Amino acid sequence: LTALVVLVAALPLLGALAPLALLRARGLGIAIAAGGLGALAAAVAVTVHVERHGPIRALAGFLYVDSLGSFFSLTIAVVVTLAGVGSVAYLRAEEERGGLTPLQLRLYAIFFACFAGLMLASLETGNLGLLWVLIEASTLASAVLVGLEAKASSLEAAWKYIIISSFGVTMALVATLFLYYAASPLALSPNQRLTWPALFTHATLLQHDSLRLAFLLAVIGYGTKVGLAPMHTWLPDAHSEAPSPASAMLSAALLNTGMYAIVRFQAIAIPELGRYTNHVLLVFGFASILIGALFMVRRGNFKRLFAYSSVEHMGIISVALGFGGVLGVYGALLHTLNHAIGKCVLFLTSGELVQRWRTRESSGIVGALTTAPLVGGVLLLGSLAILGSPPFGLFLSEFTIVRAGFRGSSLLAFLLLALLVLAFIAFARSTAAMATGEPEQLEGEASGRQSVVAAVPLVAGMAALLLLGLWIPGGLNSLIMHSIGTIR
Amino acid sequence: MIAAAVESLSAASTSGVLLDLSAVVMLLCAFAALGSKLFDRYVAYYALQSIVLAFAAAVVGHALGQVDLWVLAVATLLIKGIAIPVATRRFLLDRLDLRRDVAVSTGLSTSLILGAFLTAFAYLAIRPSTLPHALVASAVVPLSTAIILLGGLCMVVRRHTIAQLIGWLILENGVFLGAITLTATFPFIVEAGIFLDLVAAVLIMITFVSGLAERLATAAAPELRELRH
């Protein structure tokens, strides 16, 4: 059983072994995708087991999977799979075009695999210190992906990313220290004082002042990873400069891993600090939605547009956690899953657009729907989906969150609605113009035919979003309910 | 046993005094780095600070009878005290021929005054009285907080990428000093993991900085404007 849990994190590493076998781009891509798919299968198996028999714990709490952990690892595994299939197309295109050297192709495979494996591993530990170590390590692996293309701009983005994130994550380390210190009144062994089940069950006995400091620093520290404003400044640069499948992983997986850490800290802090935790998350959440929406108004690089949309959505999730209650947390978790799939699809679409049009400026692309019907269609539908229009999944989750808001203060709920409308207008203004309109004549290469591999994750992702908008499977529903049970 | 061990770390004991002293020297190193304008000075002060940190870890390890801390002390000495400074010097300073840091946003005296304010703030924010009696040599916690803040200040007022890297490393030393005193019994696996992350981070950062320097001829952060709107 332990082996199964280890497999979830170990299977993506297949991609890291592929370069040893001296495979070409095609083989590397397939190894990455197979690793993702294997991890997804293992994550499903672990989830089923956790749902039936309760949390899995081993190795003195260093390995611990409960419903919340398995929900997040399922989400991340879906993203890794989609982005892995997207990588097949990306690597092949780059090899044909000669955009990346063979060494860079191999580096991509190695660090993509490590990034995925480390993120999945961080969701499977009950030790908050080890959680920190794994999240920091995944930051480092992803920084290499951001700087992979080794242009001045991508190295600059990578530098900005690594220095801001390291600073932030160091704050999260201080938070972990203070949490450990807050647990000193408890009669626990040093290891137990950092381990989730022990901390959570004794949460009311923690030392008040240290706990407050620990929670605040954790929100700021891990919030830097999540991209909560005003710690989001690395995010648009890193997302726009990374290769598109890596951007998808950053936006749809890495941000959620940070949010997972915040959820854990909040759960530990609530019994002692009460509504204080909610207020902190509401402030950061609304700031992020506002900043995200305002920066989306500007038309320009569409990958930056998607990145600011991630800031906005992480803000929405944070606000949902701030509203709290079963409904709020339910909305937050459902939104995490929906946003992960939706944003993954959009970033993979952006990769297709960049490869066809060779530009990242939204003004450079007109009439994608005519030139490349599938990509253009996914761009249009995906934008609608990410903006929360029915019948897609994000409508349902945003609706749940707004409902949770009206339970508390309707003023905040109205504010949230107003900001969502602002974001809708700002975002759709750019993407609608890209998809529709009369296309210019492009050279033969750009209007090349659609590769089948590249289309698979786009179609699969959109289908999943549509499905989640129409019907939430019973298993998913109970998984989310159990996840809420583990943190209340 | 823990209670007895904690007793031996109280401010009056020899180890307590040694710990306080090391923390003060580390703070002075941070100030010295903040007040310097030469790249190799930054690196030298960081190396000195790390060696003192290794000494502090050994003192706590000795006082509490913890073998882990001895291991960490040796690792700190070898990696932070020797390997990182040597690597920074060889791969960045010598190769890129860097001497004077001109990319500072505030004057040296201003940043020193800011640093003094931050130190005072650290003392006000973390009064020894808020800490449980005699748990640690009580001066160390505010001192390590001050080192963290000074490291952050270095990252803010210095714009050159290497200066930012050193600032982050100083900050990290402050966190580490806090960790060994506040929570001497932190699980070893976690501390080892933190160490590994640090090494990997420095390696990647060095690669990025030298890559940037090759492409831009200068790696000062204000010159990094490609991504400005």
Side-chain angles (χ1 to χ4, degrees):
Chain A
L1 190 65
T2 311
L4 188 65
V5 178
V6 173
L7 268 188
V8 175
L11 275 175
L13 296 178
L14 264 184
L17 294 177
L20 295 179
L22 296 175
L23 294 171
R24 312 270 319 178
R26 190 190 168 85
L28 294 176
I30 290 175
I32 291 176
L37 211 57
L40 180 58
V44 170
V46 168
T47 308
V48 170
H49 188 275
V50 169
E51 283 295 282
R52 288 217 184 115
H53 306 287
I56 302 171
R57 56 187 88 193
L59 307 175
F62 279 108
L63 195 152
Y64 177 86
V65 190
D66 58 7
S67 299
L68 186 70
S70 58
F71 172 78
F72 271 87
S73 49
L74 209 58
T75 309
I76 308 282
V78 169
V79 173
V80 172
T81 311
L82 291 177
V85 179
S87 300
V88 179
Y90 168 77
L91 287 175
R92 241 165 53 188
E94 288 297 319
E95 192 187 42
E96 275 169 21
R97 192 170 68 90
L100 294 178
T101 62
L103 175 68
Q104 281 174 319
L105 293 175
R106 278 186 209 129
L107 282 179
Y108 176 88
I110 293 174
F111 283 97
F112 186 96
C114 292
F115 181 29
L118 286 165
M119 274 192 303
L120 285 164
S122 67
L123 304 170
E124 296 180 328
T125 177
N127 187 301
L128 295 174
L130 194 62
L131 172 72
W132 184 89
V133 169
L134 292 168
I135 287 186
E136 165 71 356
S138 68
T139 308
L140 299 175
S142 54
V144 177
L145 290 180
V146 174
L148 186 79
E149 290 178 359
K151 292 173 296 185
S153 59
S154 56
L155 280 173
E156 179 195 334
W159 172 260
K160 203 169 164 185
Y161 172 44
I162 199 168
I163 202 79
I164 295 178
S165 295
S166 298
F167 188 97
V169 176
T170 308
M171 290 301 115
L173 176 62
V174 180
T176 312
L177 289 177
F178 272 105
L179 183 65
Y180 183 79
Y181 187 66
S184 50
L186 309 180
L188 292 172
S189 72
N191 235 335
Q192 290 292 309
R193 272 162 63 186
L194 270 184
T195 306
W196 161 261
L199 278 176
F200 184 62
T201 41
H202 301 292
T204 47
L205 301 174
L206 297 175
Q207 212 208 350
H208 188 90
D209 290 335
S210 310
L211 184 64
R212 182 189 291 253
L213 211 50
F215 175 71
L216 261 181
L217 285 169
V219 172
I220 291 174
Y222 287 122
T224 311
K225 301 245 62 187
V226 175
L228 293 179
M231 293 86 73
H232 69 283
T233 45
W234 60 272
L235 198 145
D237 297 345
H239 282 58
S240 71
E241 289 301 322
S244 293
S247 315
M249 289 268 282
L250 283 175
S251 175
L254 180 87
L255 306 191
N256 291 336
T257 319
M259 196 54 103
Y260 166 82
I262 292 182
V263 172
R264 291 280 190 203
F265 267 87
Q266 191 201 10
I268 291 171
I270 278 185
E272 185 63 28
L273 303 180
R275 295 293 296 172
Y276 175 75
T277 62
N278 299 58
H279 295 156
V280 170
L281 287 174
L282 279 176
V283 169
F284 281 109
F286 274 111
S288 311
I289 304 178
L290 184 67
I291 296 275
L294 287 181
F295 277 90
M296 281 195 282
V297 173
R298 213 189 115 87
R299 286 192 64 178
N301 182 330
F302 53 88
K303 286 184 84 174
R304 290 180 82 89
L305 177 74
F306 295 165
Y308 278 115
S309 156
S310 292
V311 174
E312 181 222 338
H313 281 280
M314 288 299 132
I316 294 175
I317 293 171
S318 170
V319 164
L321 291 172
F323 285 150
V326 176
L327 205 57
V329 181
Y330 190 97
L333 293 181
L334 191 61
H335 198 68
T336 303
L337 177 63
N338 283 326
H339 168 254
I341 300 175
K343 202 40 80 58
C344 191
V345 168
L346 273 183
F347 271 113
L348 292 178
T349 313
S350 78
E352 286 288 292
L353 293 170
V354 172
Q355 290 204 325
R356 271 160 192 272
W357 272 269
R358 300 255 151 270
T359 176
R360 291 177 179 184
E361 293 301 312
S362 52
S363 52
I365 297 179
V366 180
L369 214 47
T370 328
T371 324
L374 184 93
V375 178
V378 172
L379 174 67
L380 198 60
L381 289 179
S383 310
L384 283 178
I386 211 76
L387 291 168
S389 29
F392 297 103
L394 284 101
F395 171 72
L396 213 57
S397 46
E398 284 181 3
F399 187 70
T400 315
I401 293 169
V402 172
R403 251 179 68 204
F406 276 111
R407 291 239 169 127
S409 128
S410 39
L411 185 70
L412 288 180
F414 276 119
L415 182 61
L416 176 61
L417 272 178
L419 286 171
L420 286 180
V421 171
L422 175 65
F424 191 105
I425 298 169
F427 191 97
R429 206 168 67 109
S430 282
T431 52
M434 283 161 68
T436 56
E438 211 42 49
E440 302 160 30
Q441 279 303 314
L442 287 157
E443 301 92 69
E445 183 204 10
S447 49
R449 74 196 155 79
Q450 178 65 41
S451 113
V452 182
V453 192
V456 170
L458 303 188
V459 175
M462 286 313 296
L465 274 186
L466 186 60
L467 181 75
L468 284 171
L470 299 175
W471 168 67
I472 296 176
L476 179 64
N477 186 47
S478 70
L479 177 60
I480 295 181
M481 290 313 286
H482 287 152
S483 303
I484 297 172
T486 59
I487 53 170
R488 281 175 73 87
Chain B
M1 181 232 143
I2 290 284
V6 163
E7 202 54 36
S8 69
L9 252 184
S10 65
S13 66
T14 318
S15 352
V17 171
L18 282 177
L19 193 58
D20 280 350
L21 210 60
S22 340
V24 172
V25 175
M26 284 179 65
L27 183 70
L28 289 178
C29 288
F31 265 111
L34 190 66
S36 168
K37 259 192 173 176
L38 299 172
F39 282 111
D40 58 345
R41 291 273 175 81
Y42 296 165
V43 179
Y45 291 131
Y46 170 69
L48 178 62
Q49 192 187 44
S50 305
I51 292 167
V52 177
L53 176 65
F55 175 71
V59 167
V60 180
H62 175 72
L64 300 184
Q66 291 247 335
V67 186
D68 318 0
L69 281 174
W70 281 102
V71 178
L72 281 173
V74 173
T76 306
L77 183 66
L78 292 181
I79 296 175
K80 291 188 185 172
I82 299 171
I84 293 180
V86 168
T88 324
R89 219 170 265 242
R90 169 144 330 150
F91 295 116
L92 296 178
L93 301 190
D94 291 352
R95 241 187 61 196
L96 308 174
D97 197 26
L98 294 169
R99 280 176 221 290
R100 280 180 72 82
D101 183 5
V102 285
V104 282
S105 58
T106 58
L108 284 188
S109 45
T110 320
S111 43
L112 283 175
I113 291 169
L114 282 175
F117 272 119
L118 286 178
T119 311
F121 171 76
Y123 267 92
L124 287 176
I126 303 195
R127 287 177 302 277
S129 60
T130 58
L131 299 168
H133 183 61
L135 181 66
V136 282
S138 47
V140 178
V141 182
L143 279 171
S144 66
T145 314
I147 296 170
I148 294 176
L149 292 174
L150 285 179
L153 185 65
C154 275
M155 291 173 76
V156 175
V157 299
R158 295 293 156 80
R159 298 204 193 135
H160 198 285
T161 45
I162 294 173
Q164 289 178 344
L165 169 62
I166 298 287
W168 179 66
L169 288 169
I170 289 175
L171 184 147
E172 219 271 344
N173 270 354
V175 175
F176 215 79
L177 178 68
I180 56 172
T181 48
L182 199 60
T183 59
T185 51
F186 214 58
F188 179 66
I189 299 182
V190 175
E191 280 187 339
I194 295 170
F195 225 100
L196 258 169
D197 277 349
L198 175 82
V199 173
V202 170
L203 280 180
I204 295 175
M205 286 182 188
I206 287 181
T207 320
F208 283 164
V209 174
S210 55
L212 267 176
E214 270 167 24
R215 274 167 190 76
L216 296 177
T218 162
E223 308 305 324
L224 308 182
R225 354 185 127 247
E226 285 261 316
L227 292 175
R228 295 261 174 92
H229 311 263

